[in-house]
Amino acid sequence: MKCLVTGCAGFIGSSLAEKLLLQGHEVLGIDRLSDYYDRALKRKNLEALSSPAMKGPFTFFEADLAEPGWEGRVDSLRDSELVYHLAAQPGVGPSWTIFDTYVRDNILATRGILEVARSMPYLKAFVLASSSSVYGNASSFPVTEEFPLAPCSPYGITKVAAEKLCGAYHENFALPVVILRYFTVYGPRQRPDMAFYRFIKSALRGERIVIHGDGSQERDFTHVDDVTEAHVALLEKSISGGIFNITSGPGGHASLNELVALLGGLVGRKLEVEHREPMKGDMAVTRGSYERARGAFGYEPRVSLRDGMTSQVSWMKSFLS
């Protein structure tokens, strides 16, 4: 199959592209290589996608989906059979101060790729990467896909807007839209600003771990391998519509304090923690049901939190050395 992956140089995008290539699919990758974090890390991710181990062909185009006319610079774009739209501006904290960037990368860019997808004659599914942030501080758990959307950060608001845009294109142009709501993804290639990365980096360097808040915040920590498996399952089952939570289930649910304790056990010492002011817009709990995804395409998270953290610690040891 010919798959278009936007945001292919990022954490989840490059992991997904690699899995598709290893299975022999053709991947057309697009990324604007923003400077939100070190571009060298993104270029390293791209290098892996062109390695001889890949069984399918990979073609990369640097393009900004929010820029008019970008599609004219991407060859064979409209031949794509599956679009995985992962390109976005991530992060809750910065969304309070650089909101224009979030509007551009999460809303305008989504409209840019939707407009092109309308003219793809072989398109089987348009998959939008969304977030548990759309739920905000829910009143009960686990949240299902029918829960009201009540984001409590500018980031979450832009993700809801992207979902609504996709819904409008489905309603008006019969675009086969699938929405996947990720719950706190971690693993090798993770962004440097994310908690797992920061915690492990500090632990390996013998530095104090910084937690915003008292550490009681709970998350469904979902390993990137489980997330990419969900995307491939969509392809294999020919799912062409619906909204699905992609979460860890009970095996990955923990508080930040429990996460630090687990990390301490893996590195062999008690870790020193510094608590700072809570981050505005940070949800107290994210916990989701994946029953709908299980029923539709057999999604079943398999990576335990201990095994997943072990994999990221191992990657970061080699990466930071």
Side-chain angles (χ1 to χ4, degrees):
M1 259 192 173
K2 184 168 184 176
C3 304
L4 170 63
V5 179
T6 72
C8 68
F11 164 38
I12 305 174
S14 65
S15 301
L16 171 60
E18 181 176 65
K19 187 175 289 288
L20 292 169
L21 290 167
L22 286 171
Q23 292 189 355
H25 299 289
E26 180 180 356
V27 173
L28 176 65
I30 297 176
D31 201 296
R32 80 174 181 90
L33 299 177
S34 76
D35 59 1
Y36 180 64
Y37 61 92
D38 189 354
R39 291 179 184 176
L41 299 178
K42 299 179 182 183
R43 295 193 183 280
K44 189 177 180 68
N45 291 341
L46 290 174
E47 288 174 11
L49 302 180
S50 299
S51 83
M54 301 298 113
K55 297 179 180 178
F58 173 67
T59 307
F60 173 69
F61 291 92
E62 184 174 349
D64 185 343
L65 303 178
E67 180 182 297
W70 66 269
E71 66 275 12
R73 301 191 300 275
V74 181
D75 298 335
S76 304
L77 176 65
R78 288 178 170 82
D79 294 338
S80 301
E81 299 170 79
L82 207 69
V83 174
Y84 291 109
H85 179 43
L86 280 71
Q89 174 64 38
V92 169
S95 69
W96 295 100
T97 56
I98 54 170
F99 186 59
D100 287 355
T101 301
Y102 284 77
V103 170
R104 178 181 178 83
D105 288 354
N106 296 354
I107 302 176
L108 299 181
T110 298
R111 180 183 180 276
I113 187 66
L114 284 167
E115 276 294 305
V116 173
R118 286 175 53 193
S119 61
M120 291 180 175
Y122 311 114
L123 184 65
K124 294 178 172 60
F126 180 100
V127 183
L128 172 72
S130 189
S131 165
S132 59
S133 294
V134 300
Y135 295 115
N137 287 305
S139 57
S140 61
F141 300 95
V143 295
T144 65
E145 292 83 355
E146 289 82 10
F147 267 53
L149 305 185
C152 54
S153 69
Y155 165 71
I157 290 168
T158 61
K159 297 304 283 186
V160 170
E163 287 195 11
K164 296 298 184 183
L165 260 177
C166 288
Y169 275 75
H170 168 72
E171 182 70 23
N172 290 280
F173 304 108
L175 207 66
V177 169
V178 179
I179 295 173
L180 302 184
R181 292 173 177 161
Y182 303 157
F183 282 67
T184 313
V185 186
Y186 73 100
R189 297 185 188 164
Q190 192 184 42
R191 299 192 325 265
D193 62 301
M194 297 185 75
F196 257 85
Y197 190 106
R198 293 188 293 102
F199 291 179
I200 295 172
K201 180 179 178 181
S202 296
L204 293 177
R205 293 184 172 178
E207 300 169 349
R208 186 178 300 170
I209 288 176
V210 174
I211 294 180
H212 292 275
D214 63 7
S216 65
Q217 305 99 302
E218 298 176 23
R219 297 285 182 268
D220 273 354
F221 294 106
T222 313
H223 195 269
V224 67
D225 285 353
D226 286 330
V227 173
T228 56
E229 281 295 336
H231 289 74
V232 172
L234 289 174
L235 181 154
E236 293 172 346
K237 294 288 186 179
S238 299
I239 302 298
S240 59
I243 301 174
F244 305 96
N245 290 336
I246 303 300
T247 184
S248 66
H253 191 80
S255 70
L256 293 187
N257 289 331
E258 291 169 334
L259 191 68
V260 170
L262 175 58
L263 177 58
L266 293 178
V267 300
R269 66 177 182 278
K270 182 177 175 58
L271 302 175
E272 187 178 354
V273 177
E274 176 186 343
H275 292 279
R276 294 182 183 174
E277 285 294 312
M279 185 183 299
K280 299 295 184 184
D282 194 26
M283 295 178 290
V285 179
T286 64
R287 188 168 192 171
S289 167
Y290 62 88
E291 289 303 315
R292 180 183 287 182
R294 173 191 274 162
F297 49 90
Y299 173 70
E300 193 72 51
R302 304 188 186 282
V303 183
S304 70
L305 186 55
R306 175 176 289 276
D307 288 348
M309 179 172 275
T310 300
S311 76
Q312 186 162 343
V313 168
S314 176
W315 171 75
M316 289 188 66
K317 279 181 177 178
S318 62
F319 180 77
L320 295 173
S321 61

